[in-house]
Amino acid sequence: DITECKHMGIDVLPPEINESFHEFAVVFGEDKKEKIRFGLDAIKNVGRGVVEEIINTREEGKFISISDFISRVSPRVVNRKNWESFIKTGVF
């Protein structure tokens, strides 16, 4: 629960295209403090196959822009609904 995390002093970060994995994960911020990063599976209309495609493509190197993402990720896997959800959650 996000409220409980805040009560414990743990920051919960939104999903991020270059840092998030399937599930929630512990990451370290610039302040060297542990934080929880939202997983991409938690985004509405984004299925496991889409996340798998993103993670596999990201292994070649982080995405440097939206156009880089578009050129590297298969449009057969990432569809319009996925894009809408990515934009709404601010993963880029």
Side-chain angles (χ1 to χ4, degrees):
D1 178 87
I2 293 175
T3 307
E4 186 63 28
C5 287
K6 287 183 181 183
H7 178 71
M8 295 171 56
I10 300 170
D11 294 332
V12 178
L13 304 172
E16 210 280 335
I17 205 71
N18 283 317
E19 285 190 10
S20 295
F21 291 95
H22 284 284
E23 305 293 330
F24 290 79
V26 175
V27 296
F28 292 92
E30 292 177 12
D31 58 0
K32 308 280 192 268
K33 219 175 123 182
E34 288 183 338
K35 300 171 189 293
I36 297 176
R37 174 70 71 185
F38 246 81
L40 295 173
D41 283 350
I43 301 172
K44 186 177 179 179
N45 298 320
V46 176
R48 194 153 185 86
V50 173
V51 176
E52 200 64 38
E53 173 77 7
I54 291 168
I55 292 171
N56 289 340
T57 304
R58 190 174 66 195
E59 287 176 1
E60 301 165 10
K62 289 186 174 188
F63 300 107
I64 56 172
S65 65
I66 291 177
S67 59
D68 180 42
F69 182 86
I70 292 168
S71 69
R72 292 172 48 201
V73 176
S74 172
R76 283 180 266 170
V77 178
V78 180
N79 64 34
R80 182 174 174 246
K81 279 194 172 264
N82 303 141
W83 274 103
E84 289 171 357
S85 295
F86 290 150
I87 291 165
K88 287 178 184 175
T89 58
V91 298
F92 292 103

